[in-house]
mmCIF file of all heavy atoms in Angstrom:
data_model
loop_
_atom_site.group_PDB
_atom_site.id
_atom_site.type_symbol
_atom_site.label_atom_id
_atom_site.label_comp_id
_atom_site.label_asym_id
_atom_site.label_seq_id
_atom_site.Cartn_x
_atom_site.Cartn_y
_atom_site.Cartn_z
ATOM 1 N N ALA A 46 0.828 -1.208 0.000
ATOM 2 C CA ALA A 46 0.000 0.000 0.000
ATOM 3 C C ALA A 46 0.861 1.256 0.000
ATOM 4 O O ALA A 46 0.575 2.227 -0.716
ATOM 5 C CB ALA A 46 -0.937 -0.002 1.205
ATOM 6 N N GLU A 47 1.911 1.270 0.798
ATOM 7 C CA GLU A 47 2.802 2.431 0.853
ATOM 8 C C GLU A 47 3.504 2.631 -0.489
ATOM 9 O O GLU A 47 3.662 3.769 -0.967
ATOM 10 C CB GLU A 47 3.828 2.244 1.971
ATOM 11 C CG GLU A 47 4.565 3.513 2.371
ATOM 12 C CD GLU A 47 3.652 4.576 2.949
ATOM 13 O OE1 GLU A 47 3.045 4.344 4.007
ATOM 14 O OE2 GLU A 47 3.535 5.646 2.302
ATOM 15 N N THR A 48 3.920 1.527 -1.110
ATOM 16 C CA THR A 48 4.561 1.612 -2.433
ATOM 17 C C THR A 48 3.598 2.225 -3.454
ATOM 18 O O THR A 48 3.981 3.119 -4.223
ATOM 19 C CB THR A 48 5.000 0.212 -2.904
ATOM 20 O OG1 THR A 48 5.967 -0.304 -1.996
ATOM 21 C CG2 THR A 48 5.608 0.277 -4.303
ATOM 22 N N GLN A 49 2.351 1.767 -3.456
ATOM 23 C CA GLN A 49 1.369 2.263 -4.416
ATOM 24 C C GLN A 49 0.975 3.712 -4.130
ATOM 25 O O GLN A 49 0.719 4.490 -5.049
ATOM 26 C CB GLN A 49 0.124 1.369 -4.408
ATOM 27 C CG GLN A 49 0.370 -0.050 -4.888
ATOM 28 C CD GLN A 49 0.824 -0.098 -6.333
ATOM 29 O OE1 GLN A 49 1.985 0.124 -6.650
ATOM 30 N NE2 GLN A 49 -0.102 -0.351 -7.230
ATOM 31 N N ARG A 50 0.935 4.072 -2.859
ATOM 32 C CA ARG A 50 0.600 5.463 -2.512
ATOM 33 C C ARG A 50 1.612 6.417 -3.110
ATOM 34 O O ARG A 50 1.238 7.470 -3.670
ATOM 35 C CB ARG A 50 0.537 5.636 -0.997
ATOM 36 C CG ARG A 50 0.163 7.064 -0.564
ATOM 37 C CD ARG A 50 -0.227 7.105 0.893
ATOM 38 N NE ARG A 50 0.896 7.104 1.782
ATOM 39 C CZ ARG A 50 1.351 8.197 2.437
ATOM 40 N NH1 ARG A 50 0.771 9.367 2.239
ATOM 41 N NH2 ARG A 50 2.366 8.095 3.254
ATOM 42 N N HIS A 51 2.897 6.055 -3.015
ATOM 43 C CA HIS A 51 3.941 6.924 -3.575
ATOM 44 C C HIS A 51 3.976 6.827 -5.093
ATOM 45 O O HIS A 51 4.157 7.834 -5.782
ATOM 46 C CB HIS A 51 5.300 6.562 -2.978
ATOM 47 C CG HIS A 51 5.460 6.981 -1.548
ATOM 48 N ND1 HIS A 51 5.610 8.305 -1.174
ATOM 49 C CD2 HIS A 51 5.461 6.266 -0.394
ATOM 50 C CE1 HIS A 51 5.711 8.384 0.152
ATOM 51 N NE2 HIS A 51 5.619 7.160 0.644
ATOM 52 N N ARG A 52 3.778 5.648 -5.621
ATOM 53 C CA ARG A 52 3.840 5.447 -7.070
ATOM 54 C C ARG A 52 2.771 6.251 -7.798
ATOM 55 O O ARG A 52 3.027 6.841 -8.852
ATOM 56 C CB ARG A 52 3.659 3.950 -7.382
ATOM 57 C CG ARG A 52 3.685 3.607 -8.866
ATOM 58 C CD ARG A 52 3.434 2.111 -9.060
ATOM 59 N NE ARG A 52 3.453 1.731 -10.445
ATOM 60 C CZ ARG A 52 3.151 0.517 -10.890
ATOM 61 N NH1 ARG A 52 2.826 -0.441 -10.031
ATOM 62 N NH2 ARG A 52 3.182 0.247 -12.183
ATOM 63 N N LEU A 53 1.566 6.304 -7.224
ATOM 64 C CA LEU A 53 0.450 6.987 -7.877
ATOM 65 C C LEU A 53 0.185 8.374 -7.302
ATOM 66 O O LEU A 53 -0.755 9.041 -7.703
ATOM 67 C CB LEU A 53 -0.829 6.142 -7.771
ATOM 68 C CG LEU A 53 -1.016 5.076 -8.842
ATOM 69 C CD1 LEU A 53 0.002 3.957 -8.688
ATOM 70 C CD2 LEU A 53 -2.416 4.491 -8.806
ATOM 71 N N ASN A 54 1.021 8.798 -6.362
ATOM 72 C CA ASN A 54 0.851 10.114 -5.745
ATOM 73 C C ASN A 54 -0.552 10.273 -5.161
ATOM 74 O O ASN A 54 -1.236 11.268 -5.403
ATOM 75 C CB ASN A 54 1.142 11.234 -6.759
ATOM 76 C CG ASN A 54 1.234 12.601 -6.100
ATOM 77 O OD1 ASN A 54 1.601 12.725 -4.936
ATOM 78 N ND2 ASN A 54 0.882 13.644 -6.841
ATOM 79 N N ILE A 55 -0.976 9.276 -4.388
ATOM 80 C CA ILE A 55 -2.278 9.338 -3.724
ATOM 81 C C ILE A 55 -2.158 10.273 -2.528
ATOM 82 O O ILE A 55 -1.380 10.035 -1.609
ATOM 83 C CB ILE A 55 -2.729 7.937 -3.262
ATOM 84 C CG1 ILE A 55 -2.864 6.999 -4.474
ATOM 85 C CG2 ILE A 55 -4.054 8.019 -2.504
ATOM 86 C CD1 ILE A 55 -3.128 5.553 -4.099
ATOM 87 N N ARG A 56 -2.936 11.344 -2.548
ATOM 88 C CA ARG A 56 -2.839 12.365 -1.503
ATOM 89 C C ARG A 56 -3.730 11.973 -0.326
ATOM 90 O O ARG A 56 -4.908 12.312 -0.265
ATOM 91 C CB ARG A 56 -3.213 13.724 -2.066
ATOM 92 C CG ARG A 56 -2.260 14.196 -3.166
ATOM 93 C CD ARG A 56 -2.648 15.567 -3.695
ATOM 94 N NE ARG A 56 -1.734 16.009 -4.740
ATOM 95 C CZ ARG A 56 -1.897 15.770 -6.037
ATOM 96 N NH1 ARG A 56 -2.966 15.087 -6.443
ATOM 97 N NH2 ARG A 56 -1.040 16.202 -6.930
ATOM 98 N N ALA A 57 -3.127 11.233 0.588
ATOM 99 C CA ALA A 57 -3.812 10.810 1.810
ATOM 100 C C ALA A 57 -2.842 10.995 2.966
ATOM 101 O O ALA A 57 -1.623 10.915 2.779
ATOM 102 C CB ALA A 57 -4.244 9.352 1.704
ATOM 103 N N TYR A 58 -3.398 11.226 4.154
ATOM 104 C CA TYR A 58 -2.530 11.450 5.317
ATOM 105 C C TYR A 58 -1.611 10.263 5.539
ATOM 106 O O TYR A 58 -0.414 10.415 5.793
ATOM 107 C CB TYR A 58 -3.380 11.723 6.555
ATOM 108 C CG TYR A 58 -2.566 11.964 7.814
ATOM 109 C CD1 TYR A 58 -1.891 13.174 7.985
ATOM 110 C CD2 TYR A 58 -2.466 10.975 8.793
ATOM 111 C CE1 TYR A 58 -1.127 13.392 9.127
ATOM 112 C CE2 TYR A 58 -1.704 11.190 9.932
ATOM 113 C CZ TYR A 58 -1.033 12.398 10.095
ATOM 114 O OH TYR A 58 -0.271 12.599 11.212
ATOM 115 N N ASP A 59 -2.173 9.054 5.456
ATOM 116 C CA ASP A 59 -1.374 7.833 5.541
ATOM 117 C C ASP A 59 -2.193 6.703 4.944
ATOM 118 O O ASP A 59 -3.328 6.896 4.498
ATOM 119 C CB ASP A 59 -0.935 7.524 6.978
ATOM 120 C CG ASP A 59 -2.100 7.370 7.947
ATOM 121 O OD1 ASP A 59 -3.215 6.997 7.495
ATOM 122 O OD2 ASP A 59 -1.920 7.613 9.142
ATOM 123 N N ILE A 60 -1.626 5.500 4.920
ATOM 124 C CA ILE A 60 -2.298 4.374 4.279
ATOM 125 C C ILE A 60 -3.459 3.837 5.101
ATOM 126 O O ILE A 60 -4.215 2.986 4.625
ATOM 127 C CB ILE A 60 -1.294 3.241 3.969
ATOM 128 C CG1 ILE A 60 -0.562 2.791 5.242
ATOM 129 C CG2 ILE A 60 -0.317 3.661 2.889
ATOM 130 C CD1 ILE A 60 0.363 1.609 5.030
ATOM 131 N N ALA A 61 -3.639 4.333 6.319
ATOM 132 C CA ALA A 61 -4.786 3.938 7.145
ATOM 133 C C ALA A 61 -6.006 4.824 6.886
ATOM 134 O O ALA A 61 -7.090 4.572 7.418
ATOM 135 C CB ALA A 61 -4.416 3.997 8.628
ATOM 136 N N THR A 62 -5.857 5.853 6.056
ATOM 137 C CA THR A 62 -6.954 6.780 5.759
ATOM 138 C C THR A 62 -8.087 6.053 5.046
ATOM 139 O O THR A 62 -7.859 5.274 4.119
ATOM 140 C CB THR A 62 -6.451 7.927 4.869
ATOM 141 O OG1 THR A 62 -5.373 8.597 5.533
ATOM 142 C CG2 THR A 62 -7.560 8.925 4.584
ATOM 143 N N GLU A 63 -9.333 6.302 5.467
ATOM 144 C CA GLU A 63 -10.480 5.685 4.812
ATOM 145 C C GLU A 63 -10.675 6.265 3.418
ATOM 146 O O GLU A 63 -10.566 7.480 3.212
ATOM 147 C CB GLU A 63 -11.748 5.899 5.640
ATOM 148 C CG GLU A 63 -11.793 5.071 6.909
ATOM 149 C CD GLU A 63 -13.140 5.167 7.614
ATOM 150 O OE1 GLU A 63 -14.046 5.844 7.064
ATOM 151 O OE2 GLU A 63 -13.286 4.569 8.689
ATOM 152 N N ALA A 64 -10.998 5.410 2.458
ATOM 153 C CA ALA A 64 -11.159 5.843 1.064
ATOM 154 C C ALA A 64 -12.259 6.885 0.915
ATOM 155 O O ALA A 64 -12.153 7.798 0.091
ATOM 156 C CB ALA A 64 -11.459 4.633 0.185
ATOM 157 N N GLY A 65 -13.325 6.759 1.712
ATOM 158 C CA GLY A 65 -14.456 7.667 1.581
ATOM 159 C C GLY A 65 -14.148 9.108 1.945
ATOM 160 O O GLY A 65 -14.928 10.003 1.604
ATOM 161 N N THR A 66 -13.031 9.360 2.607
ATOM 162 C CA THR A 66 -12.682 10.728 3.006
ATOM 163 C C THR A 66 -11.853 11.445 1.948
ATOM 164 O O THR A 66 -11.573 12.632 2.099
ATOM 165 C CB THR A 66 -11.883 10.723 4.319
ATOM 166 O OG1 THR A 66 -10.608 10.073 4.107
ATOM 167 C CG2 THR A 66 -12.636 9.982 5.416
ATOM 168 N N LEU A 67 -11.471 10.749 0.881
ATOM 169 C CA LEU A 67 -10.571 11.327 -0.119
ATOM 170 C C LEU A 67 -11.346 11.911 -1.300
ATOM 171 O O LEU A 67 -12.520 11.620 -1.511
ATOM 172 C CB LEU A 67 -9.589 10.258 -0.623
ATOM 173 C CG LEU A 67 -8.703 9.612 0.449
ATOM 174 C CD1 LEU A 67 -7.790 8.573 -0.189
ATOM 175 C CD2 LEU A 67 -7.889 10.667 1.191
ATOM 176 N N SER A 68 -10.660 12.737 -2.079
ATOM 177 C CA SER A 68 -11.258 13.342 -3.266
ATOM 178 C C SER A 68 -11.494 12.286 -4.340
ATOM 179 O O SER A 68 -10.958 11.169 -4.288
ATOM 180 C CB SER A 68 -10.334 14.422 -3.829
ATOM 181 O OG SER A 68 -9.161 13.834 -4.382
ATOM 182 N N GLY A 69 -12.306 12.648 -5.352
ATOM 183 C CA GLY A 69 -12.604 11.716 -6.432
ATOM 184 C C GLY A 69 -11.368 11.241 -7.163
ATOM 185 O O GLY A 69 -11.246 10.058 -7.513
ATOM 186 N N GLY A 70 -10.429 12.155 -7.408
ATOM 187 C CA GLY A 70 -9.211 11.779 -8.101
ATOM 188 C C GLY A 70 -8.385 10.783 -7.318
ATOM 189 O O GLY A 70 -7.842 9.818 -7.878
ATOM 190 N N ASN A 71 -8.283 10.989 -6.017
ATOM 191 C CA ASN A 71 -7.511 10.068 -5.180
ATOM 192 C C ASN A 71 -8.226 8.731 -5.007
ATOM 193 O O ASN A 71 -7.584 7.681 -4.917
ATOM 194 C CB ASN A 71 -7.215 10.715 -3.823
ATOM 195 C CG ASN A 71 -6.145 11.778 -3.927
ATOM 196 O OD1 ASN A 71 -5.022 11.497 -4.339
ATOM 197 N ND2 ASN A 71 -6.475 13.009 -3.574
ATOM 198 N N GLN A 72 -9.559 8.742 -4.975
ATOM 199 C CA GLN A 72 -10.299 7.484 -4.933
ATOM 200 C C GLN A 72 -10.061 6.682 -6.213
ATOM 201 O O GLN A 72 -9.882 5.457 -6.169
ATOM 202 C CB GLN A 72 -11.793 7.756 -4.746
ATOM 203 C CG GLN A 72 -12.147 8.257 -3.363
ATOM 204 C CD GLN A 72 -13.621 8.562 -3.231
ATOM 205 O OE1 GLN A 72 -14.361 8.587 -4.214
ATOM 206 N NE2 GLN A 72 -14.073 8.807 -2.007
ATOM 207 N N GLN A 73 -10.044 7.372 -7.347
ATOM 208 C CA GLN A 73 -9.796 6.672 -8.602
ATOM 209 C C GLN A 73 -8.398 6.049 -8.623
ATOM 210 O O GLN A 73 -8.196 4.950 -9.139
ATOM 211 C CB GLN A 73 -9.963 7.648 -9.780
ATOM 212 C CG GLN A 73 -9.946 7.002 -11.153
ATOM 213 C CD GLN A 73 -11.232 6.263 -11.459
ATOM 214 O OE1 GLN A 73 -11.767 5.538 -10.615
ATOM 215 N NE2 GLN A 73 -11.730 6.416 -12.664
ATOM 216 N N LYS A 74 -7.442 6.747 -8.032
ATOM 217 C CA LYS A 74 -6.079 6.216 -7.965
ATOM 218 C C LYS A 74 -6.018 4.968 -7.079
ATOM 219 O O LYS A 74 -5.226 4.056 -7.342
ATOM 220 C CB LYS A 74 -5.119 7.281 -7.429
ATOM 221 C CG LYS A 74 -4.850 8.422 -8.403
ATOM 222 C CD LYS A 74 -3.917 9.442 -7.764
ATOM 223 C CE LYS A 74 -3.707 10.650 -8.638
ATOM 224 N NZ LYS A 74 -2.824 11.648 -7.981
ATOM 225 N N ILE A 75 -6.856 4.901 -6.046
ATOM 226 C CA ILE A 75 -6.876 3.703 -5.192
ATOM 227 C C ILE A 75 -7.407 2.511 -5.984
ATOM 228 O O ILE A 75 -6.873 1.401 -5.894
ATOM 229 C CB ILE A 75 -7.734 3.931 -3.926
ATOM 230 C CG1 ILE A 75 -7.109 5.012 -3.035
ATOM 231 C CG2 ILE A 75 -7.861 2.636 -3.132
ATOM 232 C CD1 ILE A 75 -7.968 5.395 -1.845
ATOM 233 N N VAL A 76 -8.485 2.746 -6.773
ATOM 234 C CA VAL A 76 -9.006 1.666 -7.614
ATOM 235 C C VAL A 76 -7.915 1.157 -8.540
ATOM 236 O O VAL A 76 -7.726 -0.048 -8.723
ATOM 237 C CB VAL A 76 -10.225 2.148 -8.426
ATOM 238 C CG1 VAL A 76 -10.727 1.030 -9.339
ATOM 239 C CG2 VAL A 76 -11.344 2.601 -7.503
ATOM 240 N N LEU A 77 -7.176 2.095 -9.118
ATOM 241 C CA LEU A 77 -6.090 1.720 -10.024
ATOM 242 C C LEU A 77 -4.949 1.039 -9.261
ATOM 243 O O LEU A 77 -4.347 0.071 -9.744
ATOM 244 C CB LEU A 77 -5.580 2.964 -10.745
ATOM 245 C CG LEU A 77 -4.516 2.776 -11.817
ATOM 246 C CD1 LEU A 77 -4.951 1.749 -12.852
ATOM 247 C CD2 LEU A 77 -4.208 4.110 -12.486
#
């Protein structure tokens, strides 16, 4: 998860952040 967060530049406080609290763009990056 940490590798993917940095690879896709997912803007979240940390990897424990709930998906529902993030913007649409960052949610799409999680799906990817």
Side-chain angles (χ1 to χ4, degrees):
E47 195 63 63
T48 298
Q49 295 297 80
R50 181 166 79 104
H51 288 288
R52 179 183 180 186
L53 275 69
N54 191 29
I55 299 172
R56 297 181 180 90
Y58 180 74
D59 58 27
I60 56 176
T62 302
E63 288 187 3
T66 65
L67 301 180
S68 69
N71 286 301
Q72 289 178 350
Q73 189 75 316
K74 289 179 185 178
I75 295 174
V76 178
L77 185 53

